[in-house]
Amino acid sequence: MLLKGRSAIITGGAGAIGRGTARVFAEHGARLAIFDVNDAALAATQAELGDQHLYMNVDVRDHAACQRAVADVAVKFGGLDILVTMAGTVPPGGIAEITIEGYDAVMDMHMRGTFNICQAAAAVMRAQKRGSIVCMSSIAPERGGGLRGGAHYAAAKGGILGFARALARELGPENIRVNAVCPGPIWTGRQEIGEQNARFAPEIPMRRVGMPEEVGGCFLFLASDLAGFVTGATLDVNGGMHIA
Ligand SMILES: NC(=O)c1ccc[n+]([C@@H]2O[C@H](COP(=O)([O-])OP(=O)(O)OC[C@H]3O[C@@H](n4cnc5c(N)ncnc54)[C@H](O)[C@@H]3O)[C@@H](O)[C@H]2O)c1
């Protein structure tokens, strides 16, 4: 019960890795606020995790909505201990195919979305003088793409890494830790796992893709007191696909 009595927001928490992480956090005693834009997925997450948590339609691209939703959660939970930023999709595309609209959409969802929700959460955490933020990045900026996402996706995820590190330096004096998680290919359930393994496993020393809960375990470690002196770190979870 590493998160007993802790409150946590997970953006994109109704998605594949988001729900896997929510499951792990709930098992460890956290009270959760799941933010997502997919109402059907929110309802399915509620059916699985139960009514003791909050399930909210919040678009992380909307600055005012993030401010309102975080303030609302802080009132309902009496504060906010943990923020996990997970919202976002993985758009493909070569440099010739990426449109300006597609480029803006990726930057809005990943970079602006991460900024919006972190700014709102940091205000609450500053007032409490404690908190832990863990941002979802990816193996893409570390290894130079070449998996599912295009170069714009790798750029946005690299931007998130830089953002998380700078925030760690800025907020450390206020007892707020900020870290990032960089997964390699993870099973999302949208494809047969055998198909995904056939595509990616030959390049992965552990010869398989990861599972959402294995990423959730990394978020759990960084969010919990086990990582009490860890800030500005990047935690790779990739079966050895990229070894820094
Ligand atoms: N699946 C992988 O192999 C992999 C690897 C590395 C990093 N990631 C990252 O992990 C995160 C989750 O990916 P996933 O594979 O679970 O995808 P997913 O599509 O299953 O989950 C993403 C969730 O984010 C939600 N979302 C999308 N836009 C949103 C917005 N504007 N505001 C709020 N919620 C929004 C979606 O509704 C969805 O539920 C993403 O940031 C992705 O880039 C995934």
Side-chain angles (χ1 to χ4, degrees):
M1 294 295 261
L2 289 171
L3 302 181
K4 195 168 168 46
R6 303 287 166 88
S7 56
I9 290 172
I10 304 179
T11 74
I17 304 177
R19 200 184 315 174
T21 300
R23 214 174 271 142
V24 172
F25 276 30
E27 280 165 15
H28 280 268
R31 285 177 304 169
L32 302 175
I34 306 291
F35 290 2
D36 208 291
V37 288
N38 183 331
D39 285 326
L42 277 169
T45 308
Q46 181 165 11
E48 180 188 338
L49 298 180
D51 294 336
Q52 66 274 36
H53 307 291
L54 301 173
Y55 304 89
M56 299 164 68
N57 188 319
V58 181
D59 186 337
V60 295
R61 294 169 300 183
D62 183 338
H63 185 261
C66 288
Q67 296 277 330
R68 276 195 307 274
V70 169
D72 190 19
V73 169
V75 168
K76 287 191 172 123
F77 286 168
L80 176 65
D81 299 301
I82 298 158
L83 168 68
V84 167
T85 74
M86 185 94 69
T89 54
V90 186
I95 187 71
E97 289 94 47
I98 297 168
T99 61
I100 288 298
E101 293 74 23
Y103 175 87
D104 286 345
V106 172
M107 294 299 162
D108 270 1
M109 189 190 302
H110 287 286
M111 286 204 56
R112 187 189 297 264
T114 301
F115 168 79
N116 284 345
I117 199 72
C118 286
Q119 189 180 53
V124 174
M125 291 174 175
R126 263 190 158 133
Q128 307 167 159
K129 286 262 173 223
R130 68 163 204 289
S132 172
I133 296 174
V134 195
C135 295
M136 176 62 103
S137 180
S138 167
I139 193 175
E142 298 180 307
R143 83 188 286 274
L147 298 170
R148 279 198 299 141
H152 54 345
Y153 172 75
K157 288 301 198 185
I160 289 173
L161 268 188
F163 175 74
R165 289 171 180 174
L167 214 55
R169 192 175 299 279
E170 182 181 341
L171 298 179
E174 304 188 63
N175 195 30
I176 301 167
R177 298 182 297 104
V178 187
N179 293 289
V181 173
C182 289
I186 304 300
W187 189 55
T188 58
R190 280 186 284 273
Q191 240 182 334
E192 285 299 314
I193 192 158
E195 261 178 73
Q196 217 172 330
N197 275 328
R199 176 164 172 207
F200 295 116
E203 270 196 81
I204 302 175
M206 291 186 74
R207 294 289 179 266
R208 65 175 179 86
V209 298
M211 301 305 284
E213 288 76 9
E214 293 176 313
V215 183
C218 295
F219 279 99
L220 171 67
F221 166 68
L222 289 170
S224 78
D225 292 344
L226 287 180
F229 199 47
V230 181
T231 196
T234 302
L235 184 47
D236 289 341
V237 46
N238 60 33
M241 191 182 211
H242 170 82
I243 299 177

